[in-house]
Amino acid sequence: MSMYFNDLSLAGWSYEKGDLQITLRDHITDKRILSRNPVEHTFVYEDEDEWRERLQYHCKKVADMGNMKDEDINAFLGVHNGAHKHIEGACPEVMAAFPKSNGFQMDFTLGCASIIVGAQLAGLHFSRENINNIVMGSVQMTTQWTENYNDGNAVFADGIGALGLKKSDQGHQIKYTSVASNSEFRDMFVLDNNGIYQLANLQKGRDLTEFMISSFSNQLRESCITLKTIPKNIDYIAISCSTYAATKRVLDAINFPLEKTGIECLTKVPHMGTNDLIFQLEHGLEKGLIEQGSKILMTGTSAGFSIATMALEW
């Protein structure tokens, strides 16, 4: 599903990684896993119950960045990966950060793709005159219940982040969003004895890669049409396909220069769900790859379920 906008802006963003650093080679002995995720350390929260307070801090921060007061915020979205540990979701805590608001709330768990789905939901709701501001909070607490910090493919890190979305034709403009669903997911993955999805076999892994490549190629083409540019003139891509190896395959397939992407972040901090893309957005700004007028893509996947892209003009 693709959507196009002319009055949706990214008003604020903020993130953090877990406060406790753990050396991965002390916990993961399978070299194949580490080859797909070439990172030395992961990060978890020493106090796992601290996530509520930290989430509210980042949500308030993005609201301040967007000059949104409690009573201005009409809706709240929550993303919580690692739901086996905290089944109550994230959205009630996001909403609790703004006690004077009476907006509605919605929780979902879709990995990196959530950031784009969040923008789509914002676009849909902004079609109503009385909804102009949305705050989205993201929690990744996967490592607290896997104990081994990986699922046989991706390596995880805990992180918390937030985004503010605003109905406005000024600022950082979101021009296009698209989510592609993988209809072959059930055939590609099987549940192991621990209830975790694993690729059925090597061929299915190749099929999954082809799905991500073909879907992203289409989303890149549509993004360029919307941004009135061509692929080589895209200034920056924040992208996470859960692992460094999978992300690099997708970028190599479209022949896009890695130095104009945030893939380097996946060698510093493992997969943080939606927060990967916020981390990479910050990376692009710090490196001077994003400036006024830049044309940017943000792309994330949710295991093999979906891949989604958002196109922005900075």
Side-chain angles (χ1 to χ4, degrees):
M1 179 176 67
S2 299
M3 294 181 65
Y4 302 86
F5 308 97
N6 56 19
D7 62 352
L8 177 61
S9 69
L10 177 60
W13 61 92
S14 183
Y15 95 101
E16 66 175 42
K17 59 182 182 294
D19 56 12
L20 179 63
Q21 178 176 293
I22 294 174
T23 303
L24 283 172
R25 64 174 178 270
D26 296 339
H27 297 270
I28 300 176
T29 57
D30 190 335
K31 294 182 178 179
R32 294 172 299 177
I33 295 173
L34 294 179
S35 69
R36 292 189 288 266
N37 306 267
V39 60
E40 294 185 8
H41 308 285
T42 190
F43 299 85
V44 301
Y45 284 100
E46 190 167 18
D47 180 359
E48 65 182 62
D49 291 326
E50 195 179 69
W51 69 270
R52 295 173 176 84
E53 177 184 338
R54 303 305 302 162
L55 177 63
Q56 291 184 3
Y57 166 81
H58 289 284
C59 289
K60 290 176 182 177
K61 180 179 175 180
V62 301
D64 288 342
M65 290 176 70
N67 296 315
M68 295 185 286
K69 302 183 184 300
D70 283 30
E71 53 270 25
D72 298 330
I73 303 171
N74 312 112
F76 304 92
L77 304 176
V79 184
H80 201 154
N81 296 318
H84 291 68
K85 188 67 178 179
H86 298 292
I87 61 173
E88 64 270 38
C91 205
E93 303 302 330
V94 175
M95 192 172 185
F98 305 96
K100 294 181 180 179
S101 172
N102 58 1
F104 66 88
Q105 58 180 321
M106 183 180 299
D107 255 300
F108 50 100
T109 303
L110 278 173
C112 282
S114 297
I115 193 170
I116 289 86
V117 175
Q120 290 199 335
L121 287 170
L124 288 171
H125 291 301
F126 283 159
S127 63
R128 296 167 56 185
E129 291 184 1
N130 60 334
I131 297 181
N132 298 300
N133 302 287
I134 293 179
V135 171
M136 175 178 176
S138 168
V139 181
Q140 168 85 1
M141 297 291 280
T142 306
T143 58
Q144 294 293 343
W145 59 270
T146 62
E147 296 182 354
N148 292 320
Y149 313 111
N150 76 95
D151 69 352
N153 184 43
V155 176
F156 298 109
D158 289 345
I160 290 172
L163 291 169
L165 302 166
K166 193 170 186 176
K167 186 174 183 179
S168 172
D169 57 5
Q170 305 295 317
H172 313 306
Q173 291 295 294
I174 299 170
K175 294 294 188 179
Y176 160 89
T177 61
S178 179
V179 179
S181 299
N182 186 352
S183 60
E184 305 298 325
F185 178 85
R186 293 181 182 274
D187 295 327
M188 289 183 177
F189 289 80
V190 294
L191 283 171
D192 68 10
N193 292 332
N194 296 315
I196 297 174
Y197 279 110
Q198 301 285 357
L199 281 167
N201 54 49
L202 184 60
Q203 180 57 49
K204 297 301 182 184
R206 295 192 185 100
D207 293 344
L208 177 58
T209 300
E210 287 303 313
F211 161 75
M212 291 191 291
I213 291 172
S214 62
S215 298
F216 180 60
S217 296
N218 289 333
Q219 292 168 353
L220 172 63
R221 178 181 56 81
E222 292 183 350
S223 295
C224 286
I225 293 171
T226 305
L227 296 173
K228 299 179 181 178
T229 189
I230 57 178
K232 72 176 184 178
N233 288 341
I234 293 293
D235 296 293
Y236 185 73
I237 298 179
I239 180 171
S240 175
C241 301
S242 299
T243 69
Y244 176 91
T247 304
K248 186 174 185 299
R249 287 193 195 102
V250 171
L251 290 169
D252 286 346
I254 64 168
N255 198 29
F256 195 85
L258 299 184
E259 61 269 20
K260 291 174 63 177
T261 75
I263 192 173
E264 180 185 338
C265 297
L266 296 175
T267 67
K268 297 178 179 179
V269 180
H271 183 45
M272 292 189 292
T274 300
N275 303 311
D276 279 2
L277 303 186
I278 307 176
F279 180 22
Q280 291 190 29
L281 184 63
E282 287 282 334
H283 173 81
L285 289 165
E286 291 173 2
K287 293 290 185 179
L289 298 170
I290 300 174
E291 54 189 21
Q292 186 174 355
S294 291
K295 299 180 188 300
I296 304 164
L297 301 187
M298 298 178 73
T299 297
T301 64
S302 177
F305 286 110
S306 59
I307 181 168
T309 294
M310 180 162 64
L312 302 95
E313 286 186 350
W314 205 252

